[in-house]
Amino acid sequence: MEKLTLVAPVEGWVAPLEEAPDPVFAERMLGDGVLIDPVGSTLHAPCAGEIVSIHDSKHAVTLRCDGGAEVLMHVGIDTVSLRGEGFQAHARAGQRVAAGDKLVSFDLDLLARKAKSLVTPVLVTNGESYAILDRLQGKTARVGDALMQLRVGAGAVVGSAAAANGPEARRSLIMPLVLGLHARPAARVAECARGFKAEIAIHAFTRQSSARSPVGLLSMGLRGGDEITVVARGPDAVAAADAVAALIASGMGEAVVGPRVEAPPTPAAPISGPRTLQGVTASPGMAIGRVVHLRSEEIASEEKGRGFEAERIALGEAVARVRERMETRAKTAPDAMRGILRAHLAFIDDPELSASAHNNLVAGLSAAAAWRDAIGGFIEALRSLSNRRMAERIDDLVDIERQVLRALAGEDEEAIALPSGAIIVASEILPSQLIRLDADRIVGLCTARGGPTSHVAILAAAMGLPALVAMGDELLAAPNGATAILDADARTLSVLPDAAALEHAQLSLARRQEKFAEARAASAEECRMTDGGRIEIFANLGAVNEAMAAVENGAEGCGLLRTEFLFLDRDTPPDEDEQVRAYQSIASALQGRPLIIRTLDIGGDKAAPYLPIPAEENPALGLRGVRVSLWRPHLLRAQLNAILRVTPAGQCGIMAPMIADVAELRAVRAMLEECKAALKIDTPIQLGVMIETPAAAATADLIAAEADFLSIGTNDLTQYALAMDRGNVELAARIDALHPAVLRLIAQTAEGARLHKRWLGVCGGLAGDLAAAPILIGLGVTELSAAPATIPELKALVRRLNLARCELLARDALKQSSAEGVREVARRFQEALT
Ligand code: PEP
Ligand code: MG
């Protein structure tokens, strides 16, 4: 049996790892080992080997010992935040060292003042290959004293000694997902890794995880732009490393979801009379129905087991039952649900989760307690990452936890009985709960928590159900069985409405359905206001099939083609010819209607696998939109050439996103002129600017002097004007583009456009908001570009407007002090229209 001794790298008191004031270390997520409370101020090599990495902040060193054990030494806790202050490195990555060589020295006094703790975990991070036979503990060690004895090939988690000893392949790449490796991509990586014999790990900085473990991968908190290395060891190492690296590099094109609000619900007094509650629209529409509470009862379980073997079998059977049920459901579930079920399947088979549950069983816990505690540990780890997108994945773990606990408690998973016309009300709705509900009986969904991008929002939209989220705990006080009116467009749930309100809602629902049918029938007709004023209603597009749907819905052109969506699932940027084909197919589908193509808008919340943006502190304020195009001009040149080659010449206009000043427009125009000259094209091509930054709105007069048109991106303009992240669920209820600050910027933009007689459009989400359209028209907007589905209603509305009334409304809206105030004047205006 091969043994290896690690010596103490620093002088100090040696304590058990569980005493680390950080669960990442205490729960051995990074590996097993000991803690040293240092009295010395130099970190030495604990054995001979090669330095794998020294963190930028120099507080953490990973060493690969001769023989293969990997040792992480992490000086202090949370010392990464010191960004190197007080540290000095004496070695570098890749260097060979002998036991006792100096690696890093540090200022002990400074650390004592500034760090959360000085304790220094010394960990074996590839525990699957090395078991700790013996370790020093409860004693002071001097540098060079024996600290741990390791044995090769006796690991407990994943892989085999054969794999560990096989050939090794490494692939380094930049994490292309701007949102990091969240649940679904982590599940896909794990799925891919399980298809190989090799042991595969992902390394990033001082973190590493088995690629087979989605929980481990999540715990790494990998962010877009992080440099990662896929390390495969075993007979098929090369194929394994290539496959995992290629999968990650492909970007996996997954949408992401927002966080879950953590505060516990506060019981509110039951609602006993008419009450209107507010929420955030997760899926549009209107419904009248009865409140049906979906509660998550506590599932009772014993803490202490009836013996290891009995509990192990019980847990194994329960997990198998849940897995089988998920597999069966995944076969017939709609796409949105299938993705979630696949992620859950990967979680339930997660080797680290199983290992943790197994350890709990060994410690004498019951199957239920072992499972609950194992999941609980990972939930805590995710919480501690303070990454709100990761935090939402806690829902997935809670869902799996509950399903297995129910299976252990012998509770079956038959469909939850519902009365017809149910408006489901819950603190949160787990996907496994939603799948057990009879969809035919549900007319709407409301949750106290969650965000507009949570699972329930995605599923509600896929099921065509109106849904409100983030309604607050008052929602839970709505009595079961109470009549309620859910108006997701107006963001309200009216509980126990009086007879008049109910009658009004019934009429308005019937009218809505009727009006929608009428609007659809008239959607192909031209769109003029009652005074003859022409407003163009265009569609926002991201794919050719949407272009066809847009034409069917009466779109008069495309006011925003989001080109980045055309080229997502790939490793390399599309070349010019491929772009020509893509743009030409959309131009042809539009049958001669204008097509405004936005140049690549990568960065911020939009990832392109083939163009990873270096990690940024504030991606929304960093390299994105036109800044990326000017940073990588060859991409812009290929795109402009491709647009110019679309026939007939002149059908396409060009629009640059995220412009902050006129110099950027000039740079794009200069390149456009070069491209035109090279292609010998002299047809005028419109080059417009998206007004998405307050800077562009404030200087719209200067920009309009040189742009052919302006189109306002209200999604970003709102984010930047209000300084509220457009993806932040906590702020979702307050990010309203009808905020008077945004309207004033739009008014300023309109003034600039008017001064130079440029047409002004809106292509952000506000263009499709029926309450906003008359205000925008009143401010001077003459083109609205919205999602294809909203076009019939938008056109029907515009046909009932006249400019003078819209201008009065806009003036009134600009005087309001809040978005609510603006929505109120908009509501009164719409009422007066009918
Ligand atoms: C906008 O910001 O309003 C916009 C239309 O661009 P995107 O939503 O694609 O960022
Ligand atoms: Mg934008």
Side-chain angles (χ1 to χ4, degrees):
M1 188 194 308
E2 217 178 300
K3 287 189 185 165
L4 176 70
T5 302
L6 299 182
V7 298
V10 63
E11 181 174 348
W13 178 258
V14 185
L17 199 53
E18 300 85 76
E19 290 179 13
D22 183 332
V24 170
F25 296 110
E27 292 172 19
R28 296 181 163 73
M29 284 177 209
L30 291 171
D32 195 7
V34 296
L35 285 183
I36 301 183
D37 196 357
V39 292
S41 58
T42 305
L43 192 72
H44 301 259
C47 63
E50 184 185 314
I51 295 176
V52 176
S53 71
I54 297 187
H55 194 280
D56 279 353
S57 304
K58 303 177 188 69
H59 67 294
V61 180
T62 313
L63 180 72
R64 185 171 321 105
C65 308
D66 292 346
E70 282 180 7
V71 180
L72 166 69
M73 290 154 284
H74 193 281
V75 180
I77 304 292
D78 283 354
T79 33
V80 64
S81 59
L82 295 177
R83 296 169 181 260
E85 189 188 354
F87 285 93
Q88 194 190 352
H90 304 293
R92 56 191 157 66
Q95 186 180 325
R96 274 208 56 77
V97 289
D101 280 359
K102 274 189 186 181
L103 301 177
V104 167
S105 50
F106 42 90
D107 180 339
L108 211 50
D109 287 344
L110 184 133
L111 260 59
R113 274 184 285 115
K114 296 202 168 177
K116 178 173 165 187
S117 164
L118 283 175
V119 292
T120 297
V122 180
L123 311 172
V124 178
T125 55
N126 53 346
E128 67 277 16
S129 310
Y130 288 84
I132 300 174
L133 282 183
D134 197 11
R135 68 189 92 193
L136 192 71
Q137 239 160 241
K139 287 202 172 98
T140 297
R142 274 203 263 219
V143 176
D145 286 355
L147 187 68
M148 288 186 258
Q149 274 248 311
L150 310 184
R151 180 167 55 109
V152 179
V157 190
V158 212
S160 65
N165 290 334
E168 182 184 293
R170 289 177 168 253
R171 300 287 178 269
S172 290
L173 69 159
I174 303 288
M175 170 58 62
L177 301 172
V178 165
L179 304 177
L181 204 61
H182 66 96
R184 281 179 215 90
R188 286 187 60 188
V189 170
E191 204 173 36
C192 170
R194 289 191 197 115
F196 294 91
K197 291 199 186 80
E199 196 182 289
I200 310 167
I202 309 282
H203 295 234
F205 302 114
T206 55
R207 296 157 288 163
Q208 75 166 56
S209 164
S210 160
R212 293 195 181 105
S213 162
V215 172
L217 293 174
L218 282 175
S219 302
M220 292 176 77
L222 288 176
R223 297 193 306 163
D226 281 356
E227 191 171 328
I228 62 170
T229 305
V230 180
V231 183
R233 228 174 272 144
D236 50 359
V238 171
D242 281 344
V244 171
L247 180 68
I248 296 172
S250 77
M252 296 178 268
E254 278 284 349
V256 284
V257 287
R260 152 194 179 104
V261 181
E262 297 298 339
T266 1
I271 295 173
S272 55
R275 182 93 58 93
T276 298
L277 310 175
Q278 306 280 334
V280 176
T281 309
S283 172
M286 185 187 179
I288 300 172
R290 288 190 182 279
V291 168
V292 175
H293 278 271
L294 198 63
R295 297 190 202 280
S296 296
E297 281 91 20
E298 274 298 307
I299 305 166
S301 61
E302 291 293 326
E303 195 64 19
K304 220 169 132 7
R306 302 153 293 161
F308 171 77
E309 199 48 27
E311 298 295 341
R312 188 188 65 79
I313 292 171
L315 182 57
E317 284 175 358
V319 167
R321 265 203 308 283
V322 173
R323 184 194 302 114
E324 196 185 311
R325 195 164 49 226
M326 285 180 187
E327 279 164 354
T328 312
R329 282 175 177 163
K331 282 186 195 133
T332 52
D335 281 357
M337 179 61 91
R338 196 170 323 126
I340 295 167
L341 285 168
R342 280 184 57 187
H344 286 189
L345 275 165
F347 275 133
I348 205 163
D349 285 330
D350 187 284
E352 291 188 15
L353 195 57
S354 315
S356 171
H358 183 87
N359 289 344
N360 292 342
L361 290 174
V362 172
L365 294 188
S366 69
W371 183 251
R372 202 188 47 224
D373 288 5
I375 292 228
F378 289 115
I379 288 176
E380 281 317 306
L382 286 186
R383 267 194 193 123
S384 72
L385 290 175
S386 68
N387 176 330
R388 62 192 170 78
R389 296 191 197 274
M390 295 294 175
E392 179 149 301
R393 308 291 31 90
I394 291 170
D395 282 359
D396 293 315
L397 290 170
V398 170
D399 201 339
I400 294 161
E401 176 192 345
R402 293 187 60 83
Q403 290 185 65
V404 172
L405 291 185
R406 285 173 67 88
L408 279 166
E411 293 176 28
D412 47 26
E413 288 274 330
E414 85 254 2
I416 300 170
L418 285 180
S420 59
I423 295 177
I424 303 294
V425 161
S427 176
E428 258 159 320
I429 304 176
L430 297 171
S432 66
Q433 290 176 312
L434 198 51
I435 208 168
R436 287 162 57 214
L437 299 174
D438 181 352
D440 292 342
R441 291 174 172 259
I442 309 174
V443 294
L445 301 170
C446 293
T447 64
R449 292 153 193 241
T453 51
S454 59
H455 283 334
V456 69
I458 296 165
L459 294 171
M463 292 161 83
L465 292 172
L468 289 179
V469 294
M471 298 190 69
D473 291 333
E474 205 186 358
L475 171 69
L476 306 177
N480 215 17
T483 300
I485 304 161
L486 170 58
D487 189 343
D489 301 343
R491 305 170 164 213
T492 56
L493 177 75
S494 307
V495 181
L496 293 173
D498 57 28
L502 189 59
E503 196 181 336
H504 184 266
Q506 279 157 343
L507 279 174
S508 111
L509 187 58
R511 231 185 1 249
R512 252 170 126 118
Q513 284 157 351
E514 205 176 297
K515 269 168 56 184
F516 187 78
E518 274 170 29
R520 197 58 226 252
S523 64
E525 289 162 30
E526 198 189 44
C527 188
R528 284 190 187 275
M529 294 189 285
T530 54
D531 55 13
R534 179 87 168 89
I535 301 293
E536 289 177 309
I537 305 295
F538 281 17
N540 289 351
L541 302 177
V544 67
N545 58 342
E546 290 174 8
M548 297 176 225
V551 170
E552 271 170 32
N553 279 344
E556 299 173 88
C558 165
L560 165 63
L561 174 65
R562 290 181 160 107
T563 51
E564 57 282 354
F565 292 163
L566 287 171
F567 309 108
L568 275 180
D569 269 326
R570 48 189 299 147
D571 301 344
T572 53
D575 66 15
E576 193 181 307
D577 289 346
E578 191 177 352
Q579 290 191 58
V580 176
R581 285 194 294 278
Y583 305 150
Q584 184 66 62
S585 65
I586 293 172
S588 305
L590 288 174
Q591 300 159 20
R593 295 171 179 84
L595 165 58
I596 296 173
I597 302 183
R598 174 170 78 180
T599 56
L600 277 183
D601 186 20
I602 291 173
D605 59 344
K606 300 190 197 101
Y610 50 83
L611 190 65
I613 310 283
E616 296 175 321
E617 285 271 312
N618 289 304
L621 305 180
L623 267 180
R624 57 163 301 196
V626 75
R627 299 169 195 175
V628 173
S629 295
L630 298 175
W631 175 58
R632 294 285 184 265
H634 66 281
L635 288 180
L636 179 62
R637 191 179 300 277
Q639 188 162 31
L640 294 177
N641 277 335
I643 298 170
L644 289 170
R645 285 171 55 197
V646 174
T647 56
Q651 182 184 353
C652 296
I654 299 168
M655 180 160 79
M658 283 295 294
I659 291 279
D661 59 44
V662 77
E664 290 164 329
L665 169 64
R666 284 182 192 146
V668 178
R669 190 174 292 283
M671 192 179 287
L672 179 62
E673 291 309 323
E674 274 171 42
C675 295
K676 280 178 75 176
L679 291 168
K680 301 195 175 26
I681 290 176
D682 49 18
T683 317
I685 305 289
Q686 292 224 324
L687 173 61
V689 160
M690 280 189 81
I691 304 294
E692 300 184 278
T693 64
T699 56
D701 54 335
L702 305 177
I703 293 174
E706 300 188 30
D708 296 318
F709 64 89
L710 306 181
S711 182
I712 304 172
T714 48
N715 308 334
D716 277 312
L717 187 60
T718 307
Q719 146 164 281
Y720 295 120
L722 304 184
M724 291 183 188
D725 180 346
R726 62 194 267 187
N728 188 317
V729 173
E730 313 291 331
L731 299 172
R734 295 174 54 203
I735 306 177
D736 189 338
L738 277 184
H739 191 289
V742 182
L743 292 185
R744 287 176 187 217
L745 289 170
I746 296 175
Q748 214 171 351
T749 306
E751 231 176 83
R754 209 172 290 128
L755 191 67
H756 296 282
K757 299 193 173 49
R758 307 297 187 212
W759 66 262
L760 174 65
V762 172
C763 60
L766 202 61
D769 183 336
L770 298 180
I775 300 176
L776 295 174
I777 292 170
L779 288 172
V781 169
T782 57
E783 179 248 29
L784 296 167
S785 191
T790 56
I791 288 175
E793 285 182 285
L794 207 47
K795 280 181 131 178
L797 168 68
V798 171
R799 288 192 194 108
R800 289 158 54 225
L801 303 176
N802 76 59
L803 186 59
R805 285 183 67 186
C806 291
E807 282 174 347
L808 282 177
L809 167 68
R811 231 172 288 159
D812 202 1
L814 287 173
K815 284 191 263 168
Q816 300 303 313
S817 59
S818 65
E820 291 74 28
V822 176
R823 289 210 174 265
E824 181 52 26
V825 298
R827 194 190 57 75
R828 278 193 259 120
F829 178 88
Q830 302 266 358
E831 244 173 37
L833 263 188
T834 49

